[in-house]
Structure formats: structure tokens, C-alpha cells
């Protein structure tokens, strides 16, 4: 080995200089983001073809790397921070959140154990306590940060399974004839992550029973109870119900109180998926959505959706962290510490060992905006969506397809003289043209077989003018 060579990191003065340059690049990018189309227009493989197929043998200047952001990547970016981005559920990064991400990378603290960074575990605990109060959950709720709602809900289903005491942790599920078939229930509008959780945990897709919804896309409690009774008669063991507060297609809210009563009657784990809409519980007018939350076993909320937190940050709250720990705690010798009895080691509460210092983002964002500042922004989005819904209702050739409890509006173009098949084709084409316009980006769903356009407001960069402009774009393209 040649010890004359410099085998250390980038020189600190270079880091200082390029760091400042990158911050300037980010500031310019966010300031001028509207010069880009929100939806990337590249063809599949286009970005890949710009990148050398072989890695550089010798190091390159960081300057060269930075200049390639514009040359190679930028056309292939779909700009989630663009105020014309109104597809899916917005996920936008506020500037305090961006700063926190930088700090997280600098510490590179891995919070597997309390000892591997006491501040990590304790800041996360403090932020979970803040968030719990912000959304009005009782004190007996304990929280942890995972990457996504998909992971949070998977841990909820795992806990529900563990609660059954069927020895699955030790003996698994395969090759056993002493196990009943297990059943999980959710509405037909539940997010696909629930089924993925069931797939992961050996419940299987057939172990998920989709309960039908009413005209407003809410789970029908009577149908849920009937399905449970039917399963019991057939020796299938019900174990978990997932209620959704803010479904993905229409943001409908399942009747949690009625569902909770059924779960209590049959002793089933109740998990609430409030990934998108949960943050609105911060607003006094929206408190109604928390009806029955105190009776759930667990609940997921995603600050990375509507709380201006850079990807990724999902919060899993549960009243039964002991069951989560029973399901996942496994401590090899090399991870034992002398303080294990006194502290919480986050690795005990899930499948991952290492974890990123995500709570920094919450600490920066909640402190910078304040609870009132966050609530006011979210409330403004809901009001803008109500206004947009009214515009849709007032136009003769547009039709609203679902109630608007939050900030997502489902609608379609309907001039009144087309068959359902033609309407589906026309609206699919309309959405395509809207997204090709390079001005806004919307997404779609299907409701009772009807192709439906979805517009979501929830970006920290959304102002009234963007919503006015979106409506102009939609109307003018539709009528052309
Ligand atoms: C977005 C969403 C999810 C999935 O979120 P990820 O964090 O991407 O896994 C699950 N449920 C609902 C209701 C959602 O809106």
C-alpha cells in the first residue's frame, strides 16, 4: 500500500465551497421551479443512456458531478416540489426539512441502539410525543418512525398476528396443520400496501377480505360484521381490521367508531391508515376525523405526504408497543449493552436494525413553522380544494365524482351526450393532454368503472393562483 497517497475524504475547503454552491443551486432550483414541466417528458432509457456504462476508474472533480445535475438528470426529474404537481398525494419538501436532511447525513447517526446515539432515540421519542399531541391522540399511544406507510402498516399486521399467540414467531406458518386460516378485513378502497403487508406476513391475498363501501366510498360496518360472522362459521380466524381515514382514490373516511365497536366485540386488532389525511387532525374543524381513534390499536400518519417533510418519514403509533417488541425483538450478543434494561433500543421495534436520523426533519419543521403555521397551511389547502370543487360543480360540462372531505377533488369531463365507454376514453385522453401540456400534472382513479381525474392540493408551494391556473388549463383543453 502506498501511504504517500491521500486516502482521506474530500478536502474540507472543497467541501465548504461546493456545499455553498449546492445550496445556491437548490435555492435557484426551488425559486425557478416553474420553468420546468412538472411531469418529466423523457422516454424510457433516455437518462440511462446519458450515463457512462462503466464507473470512473479515477476520481472526478465534484464540480463536474454538480454540473451533470443539469446536463444529465434534470430532464428526467418529475418535480414533486412544482406547484403544478397535483397528482397522487403531494409530497413536498420544505426548506427546513431540506436543511435537516443535510444534517442527518453529516451525523450519519445510526439509531439501532440507544447507545449508538442517545440523542437519536430521545429526539425521536420527543417528536413522537409532539406529533401525538398535535393530532390529539391519548397519552397511551407510543410512536416510532419508519420509512413509509407500507412499512408501518406491515408492522401493524405483524402485531395483530403476534397478538393471536399462535407461536408463529417460533414455528412460522408453513408445514403446520394446527393453524387456522387467518383473515384481515379492509374496505375495497384500502391502499394496496395492506395487501402487500398480508403477502409479506404469510396471510396471503386470499387472507384479505375487501369489504364493500357505500355511495360515499366508506366501508359499510354491517358488511364487515357479516363477513366476520361468515368466516367464523367457516373456521376462518378473523384477526385484524384496517380502517382508512382518507382513502387513496377519493379520500373517503371509513366510520371508525362503528368499526371499532365491531373490533371490540370480536377482539380484533384495529389499525387505522391515515397516511395522507391524519395530519389534518391538527385543525379544530377537522377533529371529527379522530372520532374513535382512541379505540384503535395502531395508526399510521405520513408527514412525508402533507406535512412538508422530505421523503421519507412515516409515523406508526400504537397502544401496544410491547406486542410489537414481542414480535420483533431479537438481540444477538454483539448488540447487547449494559443499559438495555433502562433504555429503549429502537431496533427492538421492527425488522430493520439500522435506521436514519429522520426525527431531525420533524424537529426542524415543527419548530420553524410552529403547530399553528402547519395547521394554517393545511387548512388553506382544504379551503382551496373546496373552492375548486365548487368550480367543478358550477360548470355544466364537468361532473364531480366524490365528496371532498380534504384537499383532493375527483371529477370528470361530461358534456352530457356520451356513453360511459366514450366518457372513459375521452377523460383518459383529456388527462393525457393535460399532463402533456407541461403546466400541471394530475393523476386518475376508477370509481365504479368510471375513469376519474384526481386533483390534490397539498404542496407547501400551492397558492390560490396555481389552482385558478390549473382549472383554466383543464377547461380549455377539455373544450378543445
Ligand atoms: C400513500 C398512502 C399509503 C402508502 O404510503 P407509503 O408511505 O408510500 O408507503 C398507504 N395508505 C394510504 C391511505 C396512502 O394515502
Amino acid at each position: 500500500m502506498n501511504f504517500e497517497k491521500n486516502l482521506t475524504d474530500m478536502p474540507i475547503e472543497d467541501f465548504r465551497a461546493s456545499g455553498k454552491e449546492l445550496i445556491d443551486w437548490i435555492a435557484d432550483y426551488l425559486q425557478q421551479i416553474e420553468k420546468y414541466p412538472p411531469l418529466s417528458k423523457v422516454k424510457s432509457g433516455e437518462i440511462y443512456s446519458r450515463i457512462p456504462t462503466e464507473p470512473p476508474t479515477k476520481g472526478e472533480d465534484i464540480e463536474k458531478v454538480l454540473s451533470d445535475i443539469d446536463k444529465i438528470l434534470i430532464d428526467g426529474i418529475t418535480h414533486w416540489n412544482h406547484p403544478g404537481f397535483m397528482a397522487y398525494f403531494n409530497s413536498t419538501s420544505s426548506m427546513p426539512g431540506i436543511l435537516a436532511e443535510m444534517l442527518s447525513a453529516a451525523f450519519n447517526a445510526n439509531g439501532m441502539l440507544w447507545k449508538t446515539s442517545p440523542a437519536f432515540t430521545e429526539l425521536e421519542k420527543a417528536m413522537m410525543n409532539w406529533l401525538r399531541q398535535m393530532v390529539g391522540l391519548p397519552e397511551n399511544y407510543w410512536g416510532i418512525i419508519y420509512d413509509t406507510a407500507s412499512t408501518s402498516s406491515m408492522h401493524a399486521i405483524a402485531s395483530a398476528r403476534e397478538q393471536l399467540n399462535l407461536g408463529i414467531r417460533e414455528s412460522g406458518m408453513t408445514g403446520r396443520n394446527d393453524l387456522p386460516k387467518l383473515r384481515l378485513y379492509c374496505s375495497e378502497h384500502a391502499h394496496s400496501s395492506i395487501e402487500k403487508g398480508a403477502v409479506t406476513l404469510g396471510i396471503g391475498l386470499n387472507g384479505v377480505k375487501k369489504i364493500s363501501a357505500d355511495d360515499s366510498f366508506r366501508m359499510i360496518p354491517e358488511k364487515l360484521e357479516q363477513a366476520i360472522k361468515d368466516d367464523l362459521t367457516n373456521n376462518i380466524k378473523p384477526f385484524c381490521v384496517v380502517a382508512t381515514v382518507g382513502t387513496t382514490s377519493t379520500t373517503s373516511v371509513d366510520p371508525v367508531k362503528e368499526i371499532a365497536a365491531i373490533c371490540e366485540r370480536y377482539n380484533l386488532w384495529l389499525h387505522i391508515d391515515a397516511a395522507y389525511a391524519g395530519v389534518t387532525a391538527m385543525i379544530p374543524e377537522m377533529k371529527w376525523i379522530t372520532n374513535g381513534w382512541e379505540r384503535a390499536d395502531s395508526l399510521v400518519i405520513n408527514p412525508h405526504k402533507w406535512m412538508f417533510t422530505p421523503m421519507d418519514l412515516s409515523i406508526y403509533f400504537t397502544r401496544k408497543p410491547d406486542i410489537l417488541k414481542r414480535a420483533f425483538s431479537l438481540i444477538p450478543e454483539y448488540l447487547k449493552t449494559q443499559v438495555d434494561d433502562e433504555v429503549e433500543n429502537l431496533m427492538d421495534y421492527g425488522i430493520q436494525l439500522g435506521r436514519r436520523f429522520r426525527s431531525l426533519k420533524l424537529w426542524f419543521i415543527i419548530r420553524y413553522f410552529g403547530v399553528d403555521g402547519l395547521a394554517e397551511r393545511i387548512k388553506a389547502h382544504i379551503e382551496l380544494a373546496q373552492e375548486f370543487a365548487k368550480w367543478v360543480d358550477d360548470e355544466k360540462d364537468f361532473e364531480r365524482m366524490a365528496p371532498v372531505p380534504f384537499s383532493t377533488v375527483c371529477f370528470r369531463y361530461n358534456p352530457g351526450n356520451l356513453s360511459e365507454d366514450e366518457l372513459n376514453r375521452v377523460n383518459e385522453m383529456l388527462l393525457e393532454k393535460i399532463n402533456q401540456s407541461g403546466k400541471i400534472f394530475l393523476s386518475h382513479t376508477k370509481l365504479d368503472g368510471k375513469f376519474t381525474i384526481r386533483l390534490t392540493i397539498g404542496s407547501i408551494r400551492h397558492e390560490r393562483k396555481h389552482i385558478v391556473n390549473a382549472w383554466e388549463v383543464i377547461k380549455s383543453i377539455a373544450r378543445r
Side-chain angles (χ1 to χ4, degrees):
M1 198 162 201
N2 178 359
F3 289 98
E4 301 302 304
K5 272 193 169 171
N6 179 4
L7 297 177
T8 60
D9 201 352
M10 175 192 274
I12 200 78
E13 287 314 321
D14 290 1
F15 174 72
R16 222 181 271 285
S18 42
K20 285 171 185 163
E21 203 178 305
L22 181 60
I23 285 283
D24 278 338
W25 188 94
I26 293 171
D28 289 344
Y29 167 70
L30 292 174
Q31 193 172 31
Q32 301 160 23
I33 196 162
E34 289 183 65
K35 76 178 186 193
Y36 303 104
L39 176 65
S40 168
K41 294 183 170 180
V42 296
K43 302 232 163 22
S44 151
E46 209 171 317
I47 301 299
Y48 186 82
S49 71
R50 294 179 194 167
I51 303 166
T53 47
E54 283 168 19
T57 319
K58 299 265 186 292
E60 297 176 64
D61 255 359
I62 196 75
E63 290 299 318
K64 181 138 189 305
V65 181
L66 292 181
S67 70
D68 280 346
I69 302 172
D70 283 317
K71 285 192 207 120
I72 295 177
L73 293 186
I74 203 83
D75 310 338
I77 301 286
T78 287
H79 302 278
W80 285 70
N81 276 321
H82 193 298
F85 189 114
M86 298 168 186
Y88 314 113
F89 289 133
N90 287 85
S91 168
T92 54
S93 50
S94 59
M95 293 182 209
I98 296 171
L99 294 175
E101 272 298 11
M102 287 174 53
L103 186 60
S104 169
F107 284 142
N108 197 31
N110 182 340
M112 52 196 204
L113 302 167
W114 175 85
K115 181 182 169 179
T116 57
S117 250
F120 184 123
T121 302
E122 296 186 16
L123 184 65
E124 182 155 330
K125 182 176 171 155
M127 290 307 102
M128 295 303 90
N129 188 33
W130 283 11
L131 245 303
R132 179 188 63 71
Q133 296 172 61
M134 285 161 70
V135 298
L137 283 170
E139 268 178 44
N140 63 348
Y141 265 92
W142 171 99
I144 188 166
I145 301 176
Y146 293 128
D147 53 359
T148 58
S150 305
T151 301
S152 294
S153 291
M154 193 277 285
H155 284 91
I157 302 168
S159 300
R161 196 183 68 171
E162 177 63 25
Q163 184 175 252
L164 294 171
N165 289 318
L166 291 173
I168 292 171
R169 180 188 156 108
E170 277 69 33
S171 309
M173 295 174 85
T174 57
R176 289 176 68 179
N177 48 21
D178 61 332
L179 278 187
K181 183 168 174 59
L182 303 181
R183 191 86 86 190
L184 176 153
Y185 309 83
C186 60
S187 111
E188 57 180 317
H189 289 280
H191 191 268
S192 55
S193 56
I194 305 306
E195 285 174 283
K196 277 205 183 179
V199 167
T200 308
L201 292 161
I203 310 298
L205 289 176
N206 294 336
V208 178
K209 175 96 187 149
K210 303 254 188 87
I211 307 298
S212 39
D214 65 16
D215 290 346
S216 296
F217 311 101
R218 297 171 302 200
M219 191 199 291
I220 303 171
E222 293 74 24
K223 299 255 185 203
L224 170 64
E225 181 152 26
Q226 193 54 53
I228 293 169
K229 282 183 178 159
D230 290 348
D231 279 346
L232 286 170
T233 339
N234 292 311
N235 287 324
I236 295 173
K237 189 161 181 53
F239 78 108
C240 182
V241 178
V242 178
T244 311
V245 171
T247 57
T248 310
S249 280
T250 71
T251 73
S252 60
V253 178
D254 286 339
V256 174
K257 252 172 93 171
E258 287 79 357
I259 294 170
I262 295 170
C263 289
E264 284 159 10
R265 204 143 55 235
Y266 294 91
N267 195 21
L268 310 179
W269 184 285
L270 173 58
H271 175 59
I272 298 177
D273 181 356
Y276 151 73
V279 293
T280 64
M282 276 185 250
I283 305 165
E285 292 87 336
M286 298 304 290
K287 276 282 175 262
W288 62 270
I289 69 160
T290 66
N291 240 331
W293 281 15
E294 73 288 348
R295 292 160 73 180
D297 295 285
S298 58
L299 180 141
V300 55
I301 294 180
N302 270 6
H304 77 217
K305 273 196 174 139
W306 198 0
M307 215 182 91
F308 322 125
T309 306
M311 282 290 293
D312 46 17
L313 204 162
S314 174
I315 300 177
Y316 178 66
F317 283 115
T318 178
R319 288 193 287 128
K320 298 174 177 167
D322 48 318
I323 293 186
L324 179 64
K325 189 172 175 180
R326 207 171 81 198
F328 289 105
S329 179
L330 194 68
I331 311 167
E333 184 55 38
Y334 45 83
L335 292 173
K336 286 189 179 141
T337 72
Q338 275 140 7
V339 289
D340 283 349
D341 294 339
E342 300 152 45
V343 300
E344 215 161 57
N345 291 320
L346 293 172
M347 69 162 190
D348 287 338
Y349 297 89
I351 52 165
Q352 62 183 111
L353 170 63
R355 44 178 55 237
R356 307 177 54 220
F357 200 169
R358 297 188 179 91
S359 64
L360 282 171
K361 292 189 273 195
L362 295 176
W363 197 44
F364 275 44
I365 288 169
I366 298 170
R367 291 183 65 187
Y368 180 80
F369 294 106
V371 178
D372 287 351
L374 292 168
E376 277 161 14
R377 283 168 174 80
I378 294 167
K379 189 174 167 193
H381 296 156
I382 296 175
E383 286 168 0
L384 283 172
Q386 304 305 320
E387 200 178 348
F388 184 90
K390 190 163 177 312
W391 296 340
V392 172
D393 292 345
D394 288 349
E395 294 290 333
K396 274 207 290 293
D397 50 354
F398 280 87
E399 181 184 8
R400 193 146 58 79
M401 305 299 283
V404 182
F406 301 103
S407 68
T408 298
V409 185
C410 292
F411 63 96
R412 68 176 177 179
Y413 178 61
N414 184 354
N417 52 359
L418 302 175
S419 70
E420 282 299 330
D421 274 355
E422 287 167 329
L423 279 173
N424 280 355
R425 268 200 304 281
V426 162
N427 277 282
E428 194 169 350
M429 225 161 66
L430 170 61
L431 180 64
E432 186 68 23
K433 294 256 185 278
I434 289 170
N435 290 339
Q436 278 170 3
S437 76
K439 295 188 174 109
I440 56 174
F441 175 30
L442 308 181
S443 58
H444 81 280
T445 187
K446 264 199 178 158
L447 299 174
D448 301 322
K450 297 170 185 167
F451 190 94
T452 299
I453 301 176
R454 276 170 90 270
L455 176 143
T456 295
I457 300 163
S459 163
I460 192 141
R461 278 163 266 281
H462 276 157
E463 296 170 45
R464 190 168 182 281
K465 65 177 182 194
H466 299 118
I467 316 306
V468 172
N469 176 56
W471 187 223
E472 287 310 316
V473 171
I474 295 163
K475 278 189 302 185
S476 73
I477 295 178
R479 288 168 188 168
R480 222 184 292 136

